[in-house]
């Protein structure tokens, strides 16, 4: 074989391998446009997204569902598993809800993942167009319950990276009854006066990690519900919003506890609370234990440190009884900055179940450049280092 023929043979082998590789890649990459989705923000693409999902879910090999650049209109949709292999949702564009808030119905969800294991959500923007729904709520008219933008129920090994969610009707992102979830570099944004627009809600889940993320919302930046354990949060920016809240807990008489919660290296800016533990003033089997709040900066935050065990909106069945939720082993370490309220430190613990083993270590909070105040009821524990304001423990 002469040199020219050798060269041709090599080139043919190269292009054959390249073509096979492209075909192989295409087989494991399901673009929603190929299933009929239109990137115009007006055409209902729900069936196309479901078609791409069902094809991906049947695949024995790891697959990617791609949402390309453009705007895709999606009505309430349920992506259900279990699926055969790992699925990555790669979002380059924007997914929008119907412009009429009634288009999300009364189901309580917009984008729902159920019993899906080994799933990743990468990038993209969700726009739930919640403004008209908030207006309905504020008008006092009869409105739907509101839809959470993205929800995971009974899912395991979930990674959510680089996602932006704006203008959710209610909560942006919900992790419910899941295990091993990573949330990183997300941005959850709604106006500070939008009602009940929590950023992230976690409940009945274990092994959740939240890092390098921004929450600017009308309600809690993160709310932590019953049955949450082994939750690690780091490098978060919260505000505006209602802070990071364990609770409310203890609404039900029989309720799973919250334990092993860590929040470190985070900043609260103009938030209505900093770190909060909130429980109903009624009997419950619930508990909070082994919590660490460390290396936090408060910038004009209202109620930087607060425990409220007398929560009872509209006096709903509390009957002047103390909270049954037992709060123990909570450490506040190296929390500094400014409070928007003169009272920077509030422990309003249960009279029937006092807070136990509370530790305050190096707390420096001021109000308008001067000393702040504190109030502490039914609390036992120790303090170490400099603790300002004084008056507790």
């Amino acid at each position: 074989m002469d040199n020219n023929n050798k060269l041709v043979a090599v080139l043919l082998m190269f292009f054959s391998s390249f073509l096979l590789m492209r075909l192989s890649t295409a087989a494991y990459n399901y673009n929603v446009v190929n299933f009929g989705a239109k990137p115009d923000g007006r055409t209902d693409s729900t069936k196309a997204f479901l078609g791409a999902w069902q094809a991906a879910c049947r695949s024995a090999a790891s697959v990617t569902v791609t949402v390309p650049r453009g705007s895709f209109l999606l009505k309430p949709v349920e992506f259900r598993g279990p699926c055969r292999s790992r699925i990555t949702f790669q979002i380059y564009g924007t997914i929008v809800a119907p412009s009429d808030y009634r288009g999300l119905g009364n189901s309580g969800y917009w984008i729902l993942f159920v019993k899906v294991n080994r799933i990743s959500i990468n990038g993209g923007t969700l726009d739930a167009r919640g403004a008209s729904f908030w207006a309905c709520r504020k008008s006092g008219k009869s409105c739907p319950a509101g839809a959470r933008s993205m929800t995971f129920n009974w899912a395991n090994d979930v990674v959510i990276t680089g996602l932006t969610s704006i203008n959710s009707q209610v909560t942006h992102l919900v992790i419910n009854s899941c295990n091993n979830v990573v949330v990183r570099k997300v941005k959850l944004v709604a106006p500070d006066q939008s009602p009940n627009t929590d950023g992230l809600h976690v409940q009945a889940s274990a092994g959740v990690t939240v890092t390098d993320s921004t929450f600017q919302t009308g309600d809690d930046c993160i709310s932590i519900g019953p049955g949450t354990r082994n939750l690690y949060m780091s490098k978060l920016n919260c505000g505006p919003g209602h802070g990071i809240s364990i609770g409310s807990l203890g609404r039900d008489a029989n309720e799973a506890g919250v334990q092993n919660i860590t929040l470190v290296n985070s900043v609260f800016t103009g938030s209505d609370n900093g770190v909060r533990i909130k429980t109903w003033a009624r009997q419950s089997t619930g508990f909070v234990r082994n919590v660490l709040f460390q290396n936090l900066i408060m910038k004009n935050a209202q109620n930087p440190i607060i425990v409220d065990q007398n929560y009872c909106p509209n006096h709903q069945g509390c009957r002047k009884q103390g909270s049954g939720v037992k709060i123990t082993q909570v450490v506040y370490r190296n929390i500094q900055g400014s409070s928007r309220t003169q009272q920077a430190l509030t422990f309003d613990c249960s009279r029937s179940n006092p807070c136990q083993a509370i530790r305050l270590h190096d707390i420096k909070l001021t109000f308008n450049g001067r000393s702040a105040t504190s109030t502490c009821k039914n609390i036992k524990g120790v303090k170490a280092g400099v603790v300002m304001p004084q008056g507790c423990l």
Side-chain angles (χ1 to χ4, degrees):
M1 183 181 292
D2 61 30
N3 288 337
N4 285 338
N5 288 336
K6 286 182 179 178
L7 180 61
V8 169
V10 168
L11 287 172
L12 282 171
M13 287 177 62
F14 171 79
F15 283 117
S16 297
S17 299
F18 177 75
L19 188 60
L20 283 170
M21 185 175 68
R22 288 295 300 269
L23 288 170
S24 175
T25 302
Y28 301 131
N29 189 341
Y30 297 97
N31 191 315
V32 295
V33 170
N34 296 335
F35 288 80
K38 297 287 190 293
D40 59 11
R42 298 186 305 275
T43 305
D44 182 5
S45 294
T46 310
K47 286 184 179 179
F49 273 65
L50 275 172
W53 172 262
Q54 288 161 359
C57 196
R58 289 191 296 266
S59 173
S62 296
V63 294
T64 298
V65 175
T66 299
V67 181
R69 298 192 187 282
S71 183
F72 295 87
L73 175 63
L74 212 57
K75 292 182 177 178
V77 61
E78 181 177 317
F79 299 113
R80 179 172 283 273
C83 297
R84 296 181 67 189
S85 190
R86 178 180 297 278
I87 297 177
T88 298
F89 243 99
Q90 182 65 56
I91 307 171
Y92 296 104
T94 299
I95 299 173
V96 299
S99 55
D100 185 335
Y101 66 87
R102 289 168 294 191
L104 291 185
N106 280 300
S107 66
Y109 66 84
W110 177 24
I111 300 169
L112 174 64
F113 293 90
V114 179
K115 295 183 178 178
V116 178
N117 299 328
R118 296 182 295 165
I119 181 163
S120 298
I121 310 293
N122 293 343
T125 298
L126 308 179
D127 183 357
R129 297 177 173 179
S132 60
F133 173 75
W134 311 327
C136 178
R137 290 282 295 271
K138 289 179 178 178
S139 72
K141 292 188 294 187
S142 177
C143 311
R148 299 173 291 275
S149 285
M150 182 174 281
T151 301
F152 292 84
N153 287 343
W154 305 291
N156 301 310
D157 303 316
V158 178
V159 178
I160 304 163
T161 305
L163 178 71
T164 297
S165 171
I166 62 174
N167 299 329
S168 55
Q169 284 194 356
V170 285
T171 305
H172 289 268
L173 179 61
V174 176
I175 308 295
N176 174 51
S177 302
C178 298
N179 294 291
N180 301 325
V181 180
V182 174
V183 179
R184 62 173 175 250
K185 296 183 179 179
V186 303
K187 188 172 184 179
L188 311 180
V189 180
D192 61 355
Q193 296 302 311
S194 56
N196 302 116
T197 52
D198 288 43
L200 169 65
H201 179 69
V202 182
Q203 67 177 30
S205 297
V208 178
T209 298
V210 188
T211 60
D212 300 290
S213 296
T214 296
F215 305 86
Q216 299 169 329
T217 66
D219 210 309
D220 293 339
C221 293
I222 299 177
S223 59
I224 301 162
T228 301
R229 59 194 190 279
N230 303 332
L231 168 61
Y232 179 83
M233 301 166 283
S234 176
K235 298 180 182 177
L236 306 182
N237 290 294
C238 170
H242 292 183
I244 293 179
S245 182
I246 298 176
S248 58
L249 304 177
R251 182 170 185 168
D252 299 323
N254 293 300
E255 191 176 273
V258 171
Q259 59 187 322
N260 304 334
I261 308 297
T262 299
L263 170 67
V264 296
N265 305 327
S266 297
V267 179
F268 295 77
T269 304
S271 54
D272 287 356
N273 295 289
V275 289
R276 174 171 63 170
I277 302 175
K278 181 170 70 171
T279 75
W280 284 72
R282 54 172 70 160
Q283 290 304 301
S284 175
T285 59
F287 61 83
V288 177
R289 64 171 173 248
N290 194 20
V291 177
L292 173 64
F293 298 120
Q294 179 173 286
N295 300 340
L296 307 180
I297 296 174
M298 303 289 169
K299 297 181 178 179
N300 199 35
Q302 182 176 313
N303 305 317
I305 296 173
I306 180 169
V307 174
D308 176 8
Q309 290 207 263
N310 287 294
Y311 180 68
C312 192
N314 304 318
H315 306 288
Q316 296 176 31
C318 298
R319 301 177 184 173
K320 296 182 180 180
Q321 58 192 354
S323 175
V325 177
K326 297 177 176 63
I327 299 175
T328 60
Q329 298 171 300
V330 183
V331 176
Y332 301 85
R333 181 183 291 127
N334 190 28
I335 301 176
Q336 304 185 30
S338 56
S339 172
R340 196 162 76 246
T341 45
Q342 186 168 7
Q343 188 168 295
L345 201 60
T346 303
F347 285 92
D348 188 8
C349 297
S350 170
R351 61 180 180 271
S352 55
N353 293 284
C355 297
Q356 304 273 359
I358 307 301
R359 182 178 178 89
L360 299 175
H361 190 167
D362 291 335
I363 310 296
K364 299 175 184 175
L365 296 167
T366 60
F367 169 69
N368 284 343
R370 304 189 302 274
S371 296
T373 61
S374 64
T375 180
C376 301
K377 300 176 184 175
N378 310 313
I379 175 176
K380 296 179 180 180
V382 297
K383 63 181 179 180
V386 176
V387 176
M388 297 171 51
Q390 300 177 355
C392 289
L393 304 176

